[in-house]
Amino acid sequence: MKRILAQCSKELAQFRRDRLTLALAFILPVMTLFIFGFAIRLEAKNITLIVQDFDHSNLSQSYVERLYATNQFLPVQWSGTDPVRDGIERGLAKAAVIISPEFSRDVKAGKTSVVQVLIDGTDVNNARVIKNSIQAFTNAFIQDQNLLQSPSKILPRIRLWFNPGRQESLYIVPGVFGVILAIYPSLLAALAMSREKEQGTILQIYASSVSAAELLLGKGLAYFIVAIGQTLFVMGLGCAIWQLGFVGDPTPLLIGSLAFLAASVMFGLFIGVRASNRSVAVQGVATVGFLLSLLLSGFIYPLNNIPFPLSLITNLVPARYYIELTRDAFVRGTGWSGVWSAPLLLALLAFLLFSIARKIISRMQLSG
Amino acid sequence: MKLFRRLIESRFWVLSVKEISQILRNKQLIFLLVFPPTIQLLIFGLALNPDVQHLKLGVTDYSNTPMSRELISALTANEVFEVKSVTLDEHALGEQVRRGQITAGLVIPPNFNRLLKSDQPAEVQVLIDAVDANTAGIANGYMSQIINQFGRQFMPNVVPPIQTQATILYNPGLVSSWFIVPGVIGLVLNLGSSLVSTAAVVREKDTGTLEQLLMTPAAAWEIILAKVVPLFVLLLGEVILALSVATFIFQVPFRGNIFLYLFFAGLYACVGIGIGFLLATVCRTQQQAILTSFFINLPLIQLSGAIAPVESMPKFFQIFSLANPLRHFVTISRGVLLKGNGLDVLYPEALALFAFAIVLLTISTNKFRTQLS
């Protein structure tokens, strides 16, 4: 125990003295928070839209007016005769609505009149959003204008839970916490471990009476303390900017955070033990950490969408469980009954990483 | 022939050969250019999937009549929803939505059949878990559309007055990887070019061989050019590898001109090499260079539209991203591959990349030159 604490205080002293790393430990997470928190949004606002109205009747004009009044679309000027496809091809508009000359005549005659919609399909998600919202708008328009003799026979009463305004920040920002705390604590830990290897000071440790577990726990404890600082800093800032607060019992997040930070630091130490120098360590954490926690954690799109062989890997990604916890704490609010397994699995992953790293080090000690 | 002879005998050629053999001997570098791009393309393409399909639906059917079961099968017919749980208790259903076990819950009232038979409107309740705002929005849209359509069967006037007929251009099947993969090619090229070029310069600095190069009669421009050209060729190879992964594995269509694409990729490789050289001249050690490149590549990638579309970002970031060369390349990549755009459409992006390449290469070679002399 004494040796662990000694190792830890040595590491913290070294960390404090290194200005560059100290700055990186706090500036990089904040930068990431800003970029991810503000810039990752999935649904486009102000979708550029061309409308070609060949009908020019009152009905078609009010259709167009109301369509723009939904505030989702931004009108693009387009000459009446040019093919609208060109506008989409050149990227001037994301979608186009074409109203045929027979629009109002058909409606009055009791026939179905078709409104053509062209959508730029390059952005798959927004293409789907545009298609849905124009369709929903048209249905609402039919109801509003009393174009049907009788209203629909089945009325869906839809309620959106937890996030009725569908603010994307409520989904993204808790996820950003998970990504940041998966990467930066492990980056620092990996740097510290690989520095010993690069400078050869690890040999002194191998030769000393410090055991592998003590070495890992000592270094781990130091960066665990730093990581708690990072967590408080990043979460405090994030909650203040995007106005998040605990909606339920905060204890699962508190305990989960401790387990997650331990896993994150252990992952860094593991990479650090494997890497021969610091550059390799940084690259290892950056590529592996980023790929896993950004892409296989359910941060951007739902986890269910990840196809089979790849979906197995997601089970080993700590950020996945942690993002579940942050979303629960800040948005959902079910507390222990909903997320009891996440802190347990995180602790298990932390222990797993610890024992692998320990095995690698003790093997080195024997041979050296 | 004479020209060829002069090329072979020139110092530039000798230096290039030295660079090439150095690169080829550096297994790590070759590995860096082949392995990570392939893995990144595969994982990005497979994992970043915005499809809204097989959403978990919970049902509480108090009515339990053929009519209500028909409504449920209408919801599951096109695989948007999938019935995951059937309960006879509204509260249990609500609890499942609360815990995120199901994405949507549907409650059909006991008098559902009776109301419809007696020609009165029936209400069904739908609960949607909106923690994931994007999925919830799409689920909401599908839900009301399908229920509305179902309800229309019972109306005397079957013909809906207005119908929208949506045609989705370029990607009619809405295959999600077609959006992600062309963007990730840009990302891979960016990482590859900046990393490799930084390594090529910093290595000489670290090992002190830069001084030896200076002692040779070669001029500074020859040293620099001999460094750029082999890297450039190597990066084009990387692009071709990435394109093959895109077309053969993800079946992304190639609608534009391949030479135009390679031209743009070459232009972007110059931008990336410029960034890498700049980093290498500013940083003293390889470690610093790698940490700084982390610092620069992160915003470059996130604000490029490769992962989340630029159009959805706040206005400030949209304008800010115009200063991001990668954003222009991602636009070009999608334009050429999916839309079949030519220079007539893509000239603004081409000009922007050209400007970036010239500015970055000039600054970095100047800095490099002053360090050399």
Side-chain angles (χ1 to χ4, degrees):
Chain A
M1 194 63 204
K2 214 166 145 196
R3 275 192 292 225
I4 294 176
L5 286 179
Q7 179 73 234
C8 168
S9 65
K10 169 234 146 197
E11 201 59 53
L12 281 178
Q14 242 174 354
F15 173 72
R16 254 206 319 273
R17 249 183 291 142
D18 188 352
R19 284 278 164 77
L20 180 74
T21 325
L22 193 64
L24 282 180
F26 289 93
I27 293 173
L28 271 179
V30 170
M31 188 185 86
T32 318
L33 179 70
F34 281 171
I35 292 177
F36 281 20
F38 280 116
I40 293 193
R41 290 291 178 273
L42 301 174
E43 273 175 44
K45 309 263 166 355
N46 301 321
I47 297 155
T48 44
L49 176 76
I50 296 174
V51 172
Q52 250 180 352
D53 180 2
F54 290 113
D55 188 28
H56 294 295
S57 64
N58 285 336
L59 188 68
S60 71
Q61 265 156 21
S62 81
Y63 182 84
V64 175
E65 260 168 43
R66 296 238 182 158
L67 182 59
Y68 282 128
T70 56
N71 274 331
Q72 287 180 65
F73 300 101
L74 205 70
V76 175
Q77 292 303 322
W78 196 255
S79 103
T81 46
D82 288 353
V84 287
R85 215 192 144 119
D86 286 357
I88 295 179
E89 189 131 330
R90 276 193 248 149
L92 297 174
K94 288 279 157 209
V97 167
I98 305 164
I99 300 173
S100 70
E102 297 87 29
F103 180 71
S104 59
R105 212 177 55 209
D106 280 352
V107 171
K108 285 196 186 107
K111 282 193 275 181
T112 303
S113 75
V114 173
V115 173
Q116 292 268 0
V117 183
L118 288 183
I119 301 168
D120 182 344
T122 25
D123 176 355
V124 174
N125 184 48
N126 276 313
R128 205 176 274 129
V129 170
I130 295 170
K131 187 181 162 201
N132 274 345
S133 49
I134 292 182
Q135 217 145 43
F137 160 76
T138 306
N139 283 337
F141 181 78
I142 294 171
Q143 305 268 335
D144 281 0
Q145 301 280 316
N146 285 321
L147 295 173
L148 278 179
Q149 279 81 357
S150 50
S152 175
K153 277 283 165 283
I154 304 176
L155 305 171
R157 287 271 171 268
I158 299 181
R159 280 191 293 160
L160 299 178
W161 275 10
F162 312 116
N163 187 1
R166 293 210 297 110
Q167 292 174 51
E168 282 200 84
S169 60
L170 278 183
Y171 181 61
I172 297 293
V173 176
V176 176
F177 293 154
V179 174
I180 290 177
L181 298 177
I183 293 167
Y184 295 109
S186 46
L187 191 66
L188 291 177
L191 272 174
M193 190 51 113
S194 54
R195 189 184 47 217
E196 304 263 15
K197 286 188 81 176
E198 194 177 282
Q199 297 174 346
T201 44
I202 193 110
L203 293 177
Q204 292 166 18
I205 299 173
Y206 288 159
S208 73
S209 59
V210 175
S211 74
E214 282 167 344
L215 172 68
L216 281 174
L217 287 178
K219 276 206 193 310
L221 185 62
Y223 286 97
F224 185 68
I225 293 168
V226 176
I228 290 177
Q230 286 179 316
T231 311
L232 294 175
F233 185 55
V234 167
M235 277 202 189
L237 201 61
C239 289
I241 294 174
W242 286 280
Q243 317 212 313
L244 297 175
F246 291 115
V247 292
D249 182 7
T251 48
L253 182 68
L254 282 178
I255 292 174
S257 292
L258 296 180
F260 178 63
L261 294 177
S264 182
V265 168
M266 278 307 155
F267 173 70
L269 291 177
F270 163 67
I271 296 272
V273 170
R274 290 295 311 267
S276 51
N277 60 46
R278 279 183 280 184
S279 318
V280 176
V282 171
Q283 259 169 19
V285 173
T287 1
V288 179
F290 248 114
L291 276 184
L292 291 183
S293 47
L294 201 60
L295 301 178
L296 298 178
S297 66
F299 165 52
I300 299 182
Y301 296 115
L303 270 175
N304 295 7
N305 287 356
I306 297 172
F308 165 64
L310 217 55
S311 60
L312 290 179
I313 304 177
T314 62
N315 292 322
L316 293 174
V317 179
R320 169 213 165 144
Y321 301 107
Y322 192 61
I323 289 176
E324 241 170 66
L325 279 174
T326 50
R327 286 194 180 135
D328 191 78
F330 294 115
V331 191
R332 200 184 287 277
T334 48
W336 282 109
S337 65
V339 290
W340 57 271
S341 61
L344 276 179
L345 286 164
L346 283 172
L348 191 72
L349 284 173
F351 181 73
L352 206 70
L353 285 165
F354 167 74
S355 26
I356 298 173
R358 187 183 152 189
K359 210 166 218 163
I360 297 172
I361 296 182
S362 39
R363 208 183 302 141
M364 301 282 270
Q365 267 177 323
L366 278 179
S367 64
Chain B
M1 210 48 217
K2 215 172 180 184
L3 204 73
F4 184 68
R5 190 88 148 275
R6 273 187 58 190
L7 181 69
I8 291 283
E9 284 167 1
S10 71
R11 285 190 286 261
F12 162 70
W13 183 259
V14 177
L15 283 169
S16 298
V17 169
K18 168 221 156 225
E19 282 297 327
I20 292 170
S21 65
Q22 232 170 6
I23 290 171
L24 288 182
R25 245 182 304 139
N26 190 344
K27 289 270 158 54
Q28 206 191 344
L29 207 62
I30 298 291
F31 176 80
L32 220 65
L33 280 177
V34 173
F35 192 64
T38 317
I39 293 289
Q40 273 165 355
L41 273 171
L42 285 177
I43 297 187
F44 270 93
L46 291 173
L48 279 188
N49 184 353
D51 278 0
V52 179
Q53 265 197 328
H54 306 291
L55 293 175
K56 293 174 199 146
L57 177 72
V59 180
T60 302
D61 184 0
Y62 289 128
S63 163
N64 201 16
T65 48
M67 191 75 86
S68 67
R69 284 194 289 270
E70 226 170 279
L71 174 64
I72 296 166
S73 63
L75 283 169
T76 51
N78 46 8
E79 301 199 333
V80 177
F81 296 100
E82 199 177 74
V83 177
K84 263 275 137 67
S85 80
V86 179
T87 51
L88 270 177
D89 176 12
E90 231 176 302
H91 292 287
L93 189 78
E95 191 55 30
Q96 283 176 337
V97 177
R98 258 171 67 76
R99 291 194 184 175
Q101 287 161 341
I102 52 176
T103 313
L106 172 75
V107 182
I108 302 175
N111 53 0
F112 181 74
N113 198 30
R114 199 151 18 94
L115 285 173
L116 282 180
K117 286 267 158 69
S118 60
D119 216 30
Q120 277 173 300
E123 263 185 28
V124 294
Q125 263 199 61
V126 179
L127 309 170
I128 294 177
D129 172 4
V131 172
D132 176 353
N134 180 48
T135 307
I138 293 170
N140 186 355
Y142 279 132
M143 201 50 118
S144 47
Q145 250 174 61
I146 297 171
I147 295 179
N148 269 328
Q149 232 159 45
F150 186 78
R152 225 169 260 151
Q153 296 171 10
F154 308 100
M155 280 184 270
N157 177 7
V158 194
V159 192
I162 307 171
Q163 225 171 21
T164 53
Q165 192 180 62
T167 312
I168 292 178
L169 303 172
Y170 317 121
N171 186 358
L174 288 177
V175 185
S176 52
S177 58
W178 291 12
F179 171 69
I180 301 290
V181 171
V184 178
I185 295 179
L187 188 155
V188 158
L189 178 60
N190 175 66
L191 284 178
S193 54
S194 59
L195 271 179
V196 172
S197 54
T198 312
V201 177
V202 174
R203 191 186 50 227
E204 305 258 12
K205 272 186 167 179
D206 268 359
T207 50
T209 44
L210 205 55
E211 277 76 19
Q212 287 174 11
L213 269 185
L214 286 178
M215 311 278 246
T216 62
W221 69 267
E222 282 173 316
I223 299 178
I224 294 168
L225 203 64
K227 280 210 174 292
V228 171
V229 172
L231 285 182
F232 185 79
V233 175
L234 220 64
L235 288 168
L236 281 188
E238 192 193 25
V239 170
I240 291 171
L241 173 76
L243 278 177
S244 338
V245 172
T247 42
F248 294 119
I249 297 181
F250 290 105
Q251 316 271 316
V252 176
F254 204 124
R255 302 207 172 102
N257 187 324
I258 184 160
F259 294 106
L260 187 69
Y261 193 92
L262 287 179
F263 165 72
F264 283 128
L267 211 53
Y268 194 79
C270 292
V271 174
I273 292 173
I275 295 175
F277 275 6
L278 201 61
L279 277 179
T281 45
V282 174
C283 299
R284 257 164 292 143
T285 62
Q286 196 154 8
Q287 192 208 338
Q288 264 186 6
I290 282 173
L291 278 178
T292 328
S293 78
F294 198 66
F295 200 74
I296 288 175
N297 280 328
L298 182 79
L300 226 53
I301 289 169
Q302 291 304 328
L303 299 178
S304 69
I307 298 170
V310 176
E311 287 84 9
S312 342
M313 293 176 194
K315 201 85 207 148
F316 168 76
F317 281 100
Q318 286 193 28
I319 295 167
F320 188 62
S321 72
L322 286 174
N324 178 355
L326 189 56
R327 178 210 158 139
H328 300 291
F329 184 73
V330 169
T331 309
I332 289 172
S333 183
R334 290 201 181 115
V336 176
L337 287 174
L338 297 177
K339 293 185 169 183
N341 285 156
L343 253 185
D344 54 324
V345 173
L346 294 172
Y347 69 91
E349 280 80 14
L351 284 178
L353 278 191
F354 208 66
F356 276 117
I358 287 179
V359 170
L360 281 169
L361 281 179
T362 324
I363 296 178
S364 59
T365 45
N366 267 334
K367 278 211 138 180
F368 194 40
R369 231 182 1 218
T370 47
Q371 281 188 354
L372 283 179
S373 46

